[in-house]
Amino acid sequence: DAGVTQSPTHLIKTRGQQVTLRCSPKSGHDTVSWYQQALGQGPQFIFQYYEEEERQRGNFPDRFSGHQFPNYSSELNVNALLLGDSALYLCASRTGSSYEQYFGPGTRLTVT
Amino acid sequence: GNSVTQMEGPVTLSEEAFLTINCTYTATGYPSLFWYVQYPGEGLQLLLKATKADDKGSNKGFEATYRKETTSFHLEKGSVQVSDSAVYFCALSDIAQGGSEKLVFGKGTKLTVNP
């Protein structure tokens, strides 16, 4: 049983560019959350998707947007990249009946 | 809002030493509590959890007890191994209206175990 998968593993972008990160949840999971983990910090919640809708959003600007597809996979989009967006982006999934979240390996984004 | 405060690191121990990583929380209601572990270059793995007061979570020799009276969830292990070297995160589950939730994490504690 594949766990949560994310792509790409690493990404280097230039300030002002746009980026799309992808996540496939663990089999049987329908709820996907995204977190940003800056170097040396704990993960910060960006948003959560369920039934293709954004259910809750953390304290992130509108440059951060997302999408969930009918197969429950998800994308995180970041526009107008800033140097401060450099971080590890983690995707987590869970079933609707449990609050236990399973994390993917993350995408390391570097903005130069 | 809800928050988690955990012991600042780094922590360096010798193999077979006793480990304690302190974690306290501030929350309305009674959140579920978690310890996650992050090995170098990897994502987060759930280590253990507790969903109500006085519950003890345990896994791989690690234990933590949900203490409502002291709002704490300290992580302990009786005898650490080199392979336990990692960053440990304490977290709580913050439930919003409508049933959606997010994890609120502490800043992490880096543990290094020397042979």
Side-chain angles (χ1 to χ4, degrees), chain A residues 35 48 55 94 100-101, chain B residues 36 38 49 98 100-101 103:
Chain A
Y35 292 80
Q48 182 180 89
R55 296 185 76 189
R94 66 169 177 85
E100 184 172 327
Q101 298 196 28
Chain B
Y36 281 85
Q38 187 173 38
K49 67 177 181 181
S100 69
E101 95 297 346
L103 290 171

Side-chain angles (χ1 to χ4, degrees), chain B residues 17-51:
Chain B
F18 184 85
L19 169 71
T20 299
I21 300 178
N22 291 336
C23 171
T24 58
Y25 66 90
T26 302
T28 54
Y30 304 102
S32 294
L33 300 174
F34 306 86
W35 277 100
Y36 281 85
V37 58
Q38 187 173 38
Y39 297 101
E42 298 185 12
L44 300 178
Q45 298 178 26
L46 178 64
L47 182 59
L48 52 83
K49 67 177 181 181
T51 58

Side-chain angles (χ1 to χ4, degrees), chain A residues 1-9 21-35 68 71-75 89-95 100-107, chain B residues 36 42-46 103:
Chain A
D1 173 29
V4 180
T5 60
Q6 293 186 242
S7 63
T9 305
L21 311 182
R22 295 177 175 82
C23 170
S24 291
K26 184 177 169 63
S27 178
H29 288 190
D30 56 11
T31 303
V32 174
S33 300
W34 286 91
Y35 292 80
Q68 185 179 36
N71 67 353
Y72 309 120
S73 66
S74 178
E75 288 182 351
Y89 288 85
L90 295 165
C91 172
S93 71
R94 66 169 177 85
T95 66
E100 184 172 327
Q101 298 196 28
Y102 291 77
F103 283 81
T107 294
Chain B
Y36 281 85
E42 298 185 12
L44 300 178
Q45 298 178 26
L46 178 64
L103 290 171

Side-chain angles (χ1 to χ4, degrees), chain A:
Chain A
D1 173 29
V4 180
T5 60
Q6 293 186 242
S7 63
T9 305
H10 296 88
L11 205 50
I12 300 174
K13 290 287 188 178
T14 304
R15 274 178 300 175
Q17 285 188 317
Q18 178 265 342
V19 68
T20 296
L21 311 182
R22 295 177 175 82
C23 170
S24 291
K26 184 177 169 63
S27 178
H29 288 190
D30 56 11
T31 303
V32 174
S33 300
W34 286 91
Y35 292 80
Q36 180 195 64
Q37 185 181 13
L39 198 61
Q41 301 295 315
Q44 298 288 317
F45 174 78
I46 303 175
F47 40 54
Q48 182 180 89
Y49 278 85
Y50 172 70
E51 291 189 340
E52 302 179 51
E53 296 285 334
E54 184 182 290
R55 296 185 76 189
Q56 188 181 175
R57 187 179 183 89
N59 189 25
F60 280 81
D62 291 345
R63 299 186 297 107
F64 288 77
S65 63
H67 189 77
Q68 185 179 36
F69 299 93
N71 67 353
Y72 309 120
S73 66
S74 178
E75 288 182 351
L76 164 65
N77 300 290
V78 187
N79 294 323
L81 284 167
L82 304 174
L83 294 179
D85 295 331
S86 295
L88 180 67
Y89 288 85
L90 295 165
C91 172
S93 71
R94 66 169 177 85
T95 66
S97 59
S98 168
Y99 290 126
E100 184 172 327
Q101 298 196 28
Y102 291 77
F103 283 81
T107 294
R108 172 74 61 187
L109 172 65
T110 302
V111 182
T112 62

